[in-house]
Amino acid sequence: AQRVTQPEKLLSVFKGAPVELKCNYSYSGSPELFWYVQYSRQRLQLLLRHISRESIKGFTADLNKGETSFHLKKPFAQEEDSAMYYCALSGQGAQKLVFGQGTRLTINP
Amino acid sequence: GAVVSQHPSRVICKSGTSVKIECRSLDFQATTMFWYRQFPKQSLMLMATSNEGSKATYEQGVEKDKFLINHASLTLSTLTVTSAHPEDSSFYICSAREGAFEAFFGQGTRLTVV
């Protein structure tokens, strides 16, 4: 079974501080991991996926198979980063996409 | 990026009636579509996965006779909530994916059953 756990429902940090949103997963095969973001009153959009190894808007995430984690990090938070962040997992190919519970990130000025 | 259009964005219906929600991929072929339900302040709960031309695969606990999913073409999937009841009131979101590429999301449909 696929399972994604985001232990923090809420996370609040000051502008300029580092941010880390935690994500752990459970999957017996080779997973594809994603981070999606939902800004206020907007639809979900892809932030990054592990296979592309990109840095988007200053965010990075590394897949750690040993710890079954895919934490999202940004060294210096900005106010516009305030949003709902979801970690998601898919099996290889076009299999179902399962989401974690989400973390609401608030960046304080 | 690619666009997924979901319609309607809001619908109010009477208890006992059926409601159809459409999800269209506007500029790509959606070989797979996902339907989610989102309760207030909660995450997206996957209801079913559908591949074009074949029957949808429902998640455990989701009634397939209650939530009818049709994915007859590569650009359109529909979710029909049959004999709706107030407890079916929720936010329904569709997502579409072409092969193993990223999934794109619709804007969601707020269903209220009165």
Side-chain angles (χ1 to χ4, degrees), chain A residues 62-74:
Chain A
D62 290 316
L63 178 60
N64 186 322
K65 290 189 177 181
E67 295 183 358
T68 60
S69 68
F70 188 57
H71 303 327
L72 183 69
K73 299 177 184 178
K74 183 169 182 175

Side-chain angles (χ1 to χ4, degrees), chain A residues 3 5 8 11 24 37 47 50 52 56 68 75 84 88 92 100:
Chain A
R3 184 171 294 168
T5 303
E8 304 138 328
L11 183 63
N24 288 90
V37 61
L47 182 61
H50 88 273
S52 62
I56 306 293
T68 60
M84 195 75 182
Q92 282 192 320

Side-chain angles (χ1 to χ4, degrees), chain B residues 35-112:
Chain B
W35 285 95
Y36 295 87
R37 184 172 178 176
Q38 187 175 33
F39 292 100
K41 299 191 178 182
Q42 294 191 32
S43 185
L44 287 76
M45 182 193 79
L46 181 64
M47 298 173 68
T49 302
S50 73
N51 292 298
E52 184 265 337
S54 56
K55 288 185 178 179
T57 302
Y58 288 79
E59 294 299 300
Q60 195 172 15
V62 178
E63 299 175 60
K64 49 185 78 174
D65 294 330
K66 172 79 172 171
F67 299 100
L68 300 178
I69 291 171
N70 183 283
H71 189 174
S73 80
L74 283 170
T75 58
L76 174 65
S77 177
T78 60
L79 167 68
T80 302
V81 183
T82 62
S83 187
H85 289 284
E87 57 265 29
D88 299 324
S89 298
S90 193
F91 195 60
Y92 293 88
I93 303 171
C94 75
S95 174
R97 194 175 188 184
E98 180 175 9
F101 293 109
E102 71 177 269
F104 294 93
F105 286 79
Q107 67 270 45
T109 298
R110 169 82 53 203
L111 170 63
T112 304

